Amino acid sequence: MELNVDILIVGSGVAGLYCALNLDKKLNVLLISKGELSENNTYLAQGGIATARNVEDIPFYIEDTLKAGQYENDRKAVECLAEESIDNINKLVELQVPFDSNGDELSYTKEGAHCNNRIVHVKDKTGQYLWESLMNHVKKLDNVKLMEYTCLVDLIVKGNTCYGGILRKGDEQINLYAKSVVLATGGIGGIFRDSTNQRILTGDSLAFAFKYHIEVMNLEYIQFHPTGLYDNNYYGKRFLISEAVRGEGGKLLNQKGERFVDELLPRDVVTKAIREEISKSNIPYVFLDISFLPREFIIGRFPMIYEKCAQIGIDITKDPMLVIPSQHYHMGGIKVDIDSKTSMKQLYAVGETSCTGIHGKNRLASNSLLEGLVFSKRCAQSINQNYKDIELVTIPITVDKIDIRYFQHENKQLLKKEIQRRSPDLHDELFDNR
Ligand SMILES: Cc1cc2nc3c(=O)[nH]c(=O)nc-3n(C[C@H](O)[C@H](O)[C@H](O)COP(=O)(O)OP(=O)(O)OC[C@H]3O[C@@H](n4cnc5c(N)ncnc54)[C@H](O)[C@@H]3O)c2cc1C
């Protein structure tokens, strides 16, 4: 089957949806998602979205981002992020994202390594509320068609130009031609044994990048979170136990019930200490205890964590949680410029699958949702300026049916190999080797 559209957007998270909202309404757009539309990391985000508080805060926000990234960031991209943050948050308010507020003013909270209170949030479910607001608006657009359970299994490429993609939806395979393709396929957690990410996120765009020699950057910069909830599934999506639990005094304990690390040290240090403790013991997790705090406080402060643990039979007001370090975020990805253009013509990448260079070696807390907003809008603006000069080309191609399971398996192996080549300390047992 063959189809033509103006723009193909691959991914229904913050980056894909916000790009669609900012495209010229004359463009005929198809937006696809691999699983259900809401099965993405955006929906899982808890803490919030970082933003400069005001013009005076911009240089401080830039400095915090550079410092967290160990000055390996792309300075121009960081400046874009900070300078365009306020307008984009105002746009979200216009789109009725129900941010927590104090009267007329948004409520700004503080997170690790920010020198100022500058995180806007909706309770501890920012991602869900953000996604629902964006999706409500996208659904109202006549020019955007949504297709879920539709997987991009290849790009249509000639020379160094992208002319569309090959999609699998159930048994059907579609050659989809487009003037531009926007990759918004999110993170890579699905290739790891333990990850806070949705399992379907397996870095598919990176596989296309390897295949077609599209430039990638910082692939080895991967953030692990020390405390994913262990729930007896050996492989799995780990529910994130927020740093705030340790911030409120939560203690990490080993099999003997002893503390083994200062819980408030940086994420990578705590992660290493937990891994060492696990390797010394005969259980695949350590304990995180806050049961010594008053019951009402725990339930009021951590309602989602309380509820989630109760579902697996743990009452955190009485017993410790079982936790395991889990892959959380990918700083690297497909290299893009500040208009989200990749090294291939007519191909853009936005959100977590892209590497704008804003994170450098390490992401500053709550900078990824903002990156998804700022750079997907810039991507849409670039498309709006250029599409009139691009002709839709339908190169005749015949491709055998691509088996999705095989495609997934091969992608995971390829990406694992590339990551390990760049970062040999990421051992085999951290990956999903099934
Ligand atoms: C538990 C958790 C908490 C977080 N909390 C925060 C936070 O508080 N603040 C913050 O800034 N960041 C947070 N993050 C990070 C942030 O949520 C993500 O980086 C961001 O949402 C990524 O958005 P995205 O649009 O790039 O990708 P996603 O939202 O993950 O969307 C990816 C989309 O791509 C689709 N897709 C993938 N492959 C294919 C394919 N081959 N074919 C078709 N479709 C495909 C998927 O179906 C999905 O729709 C958190 C992440 C996690 C996991």
Side-chain angles (χ1 to χ4, degrees):
M1 185 179 174
E2 293 200 349
L3 278 179
N4 298 346
V5 295
D6 291 318
I7 310 296
L8 169 65
I9 300 179
V10 189
S12 58
V14 60
L17 294 181
Y18 202 59
C19 180
L21 281 173
N22 281 287
L23 283 171
D24 191 325
K25 305 295 174 279
K26 291 192 199 98
L27 287 165
N28 170 17
V29 179
L30 174 66
L31 188 151
I32 63 167
S33 69
K34 197 181 196 173
E36 204 177 310
L37 286 168
S38 62
E39 194 177 351
N40 51 62
N41 278 356
T42 298
Y43 201 88
L44 301 179
Q46 300 177 1
I49 313 176
T51 175
R53 282 290 290 264
N54 44 40
V55 177
E56 292 73 45
D57 187 37
I58 290 174
F60 297 102
Y61 180 27
I62 292 174
E63 180 54 26
D64 286 349
T65 302
L66 295 174
K67 194 171 171 195
Q70 298 173 31
Y71 299 96
E72 284 197 25
N73 325 54
D74 181 311
R75 196 181 172 102
K76 197 167 158 206
V78 176
E79 284 168 4
C80 261
L81 181 87
E83 283 161 11
E84 293 173 23
S85 59
I86 301 171
D87 282 353
N88 281 291
I89 298 301
N90 287 341
K91 182 67 192 174
L92 294 185
V93 173
E94 227 177 84
L95 295 175
Q96 289 125 16
V97 179
F99 288 121
D100 292 346
S101 59
N102 307 314
D104 281 348
E105 220 214 336
L106 292 179
S107 155
Y108 296 89
T109 188
K110 197 169 173 184
E111 284 186 347
H114 285 272
C115 72
N116 202 351
N117 287 37
R118 60 163 86 92
I119 317 294
V120 291
H121 50 91
V122 192
K123 306 184 182 68
D124 59 354
K125 292 186 178 176
T126 306
Q128 183 184 328
Y129 284 99
L130 167 69
W131 187 85
E132 284 169 353
S133 299
L134 295 178
M135 186 45 100
N136 282 340
H137 287 277
V138 169
K139 278 188 173 159
K140 287 182 197 149
L141 296 174
D142 292 334
N143 65 318
V144 180
K145 186 173 180 228
L146 300 168
M147 247 162 79
E148 55 187 353
Y149 297 107
T150 306
C151 186
L152 177 75
V153 286
D154 207 348
L155 295 174
I156 300 174
V157 170
K158 197 169 173 203
N160 189 39
T161 306
C162 180
Y163 294 103
I166 298 174
L167 315 183
R168 278 299 304 258
K169 184 171 175 57
D171 266 350
E172 210 166 12
Q173 185 153 307
I174 305 164
N175 293 347
L176 191 288
Y177 295 99
K179 289 183 177 181
S180 290
V181 173
V182 180
L183 300 172
T185 56
I188 59 169
I191 76 163
F192 286 88
R193 197 191 62 188
D194 303 291
S195 170
T196 59
N197 291 193
Q198 296 284 13
R199 296 307 291 169
I200 59 164
L201 301 179
T202 46
D204 298 348
S205 294
L206 293 168
F208 306 136
F210 300 137
K211 181 169 175 184
Y212 295 109
H213 308 288
I214 300 161
E215 278 185 62
V216 293
M217 199 168 117
N218 295 351
L219 280 197
E220 66 280 24
Y221 293 164
I222 297 167
Q223 200 173 71
F224 284 79
H225 198 285
T227 56
L229 181 66
Y230 184 85
D231 58 5
N232 287 332
N233 286 323
Y234 185 61
Y235 284 93
K237 171 171 163 284
R238 304 292 177 203
F239 177 78
L240 180 79
I241 303 295
S242 145
E243 234 117 40
V245 171
R246 280 170 289 135
E248 295 292 354
K251 304 272 176 281
L252 282 166
L253 306 171
N254 63 16
Q255 198 176 7
K256 296 181 204 146
E258 296 161 346
R259 278 182 76 198
F260 55 89
V261 67
D262 173 353
E263 289 81 0
L264 299 179
L265 287 172
R267 277 184 186 178
D268 53 336
V269 182
V270 179
T271 293
K272 189 160 175 271
I274 296 177
R275 285 214 184 107
E276 279 166 15
E277 217 51 47
I278 288 175
S279 70
K280 281 191 256 164
S281 73
N282 50 19
I283 51 171
Y285 46 79
V286 295
F287 301 94
L288 177 59
D289 191 18
I290 47 160
S291 63
F292 50 85
L293 293 173
R295 180 183 163 78
E296 302 67 47
F297 173 80
I298 296 174
I299 297 174
R301 176 76 176 83
F302 302 114
M304 207 157 68
I305 296 175
Y306 174 78
E307 205 180 295
K308 182 73 193 176
C309 290
Q311 281 167 13
I312 58 164
I314 297 175
D315 179 350
I316 62 170
T317 67
K318 296 188 180 135
D319 296 310
M321 298 162 241
L322 319 182
V323 293
I324 183 167
S326 305
Q327 187 277 348
H328 186 50
Y329 184 75
H330 194 200
M331 272 76 70
I334 299 182
K335 186 176 174 189
V336 291
D337 67 11
I338 53 167
D339 293 322
S340 304
K341 287 181 184 154
T342 69
S343 63
M344 178 173 274
K345 284 188 201 140
Q346 294 167 209
L347 182 70
Y348 294 80
V350 289
E352 194 170 332
T353 196
S354 70
C355 184
T356 58
I358 68 145
H359 306 299
K361 209 167 176 180
N362 189 31
R363 172 181 69 125
L364 180 68
S366 288
N367 260 356
S368 40
L369 290 174
L370 183 64
E371 180 189 37
L373 293 164
V374 168
F375 292 96
S376 69
K377 181 175 176 185
R378 294 184 73 89
C379 168
Q381 287 169 333
S382 167
I383 292 174
N384 293 345
Q385 273 165 19
N386 294 316
Y387 75 87
K388 287 185 188 122
D389 304 328
I390 299 175
E391 227 184 294
L392 192 114
V393 177
T394 53
I395 323 163
I397 46 164
T398 9
V399 187
D400 288 341
K401 266 205 171 166
I402 297 171
D403 181 87
I404 292 196
R405 281 184 148 191
Y406 179 75
F407 162 78
Q408 276 316 163
H409 182 261
E410 290 297 294
N411 277 0
K412 282 162 90 168
Q413 294 308 317
L414 180 62
L415 188 49
K416 173 183 155 189
K417 198 174 99 196
E418 287 293 334
I419 288 171
Q420 284 188 317
R421 190 165 66 77
R422 292 166 168 86
S423 190
D425 57 326
L426 291 174
H427 300 299
D428 250 15
E429 66 269 18
L430 295 176
F431 291 85
D432 180 354
N433 293 312
R434 286 170 298 172

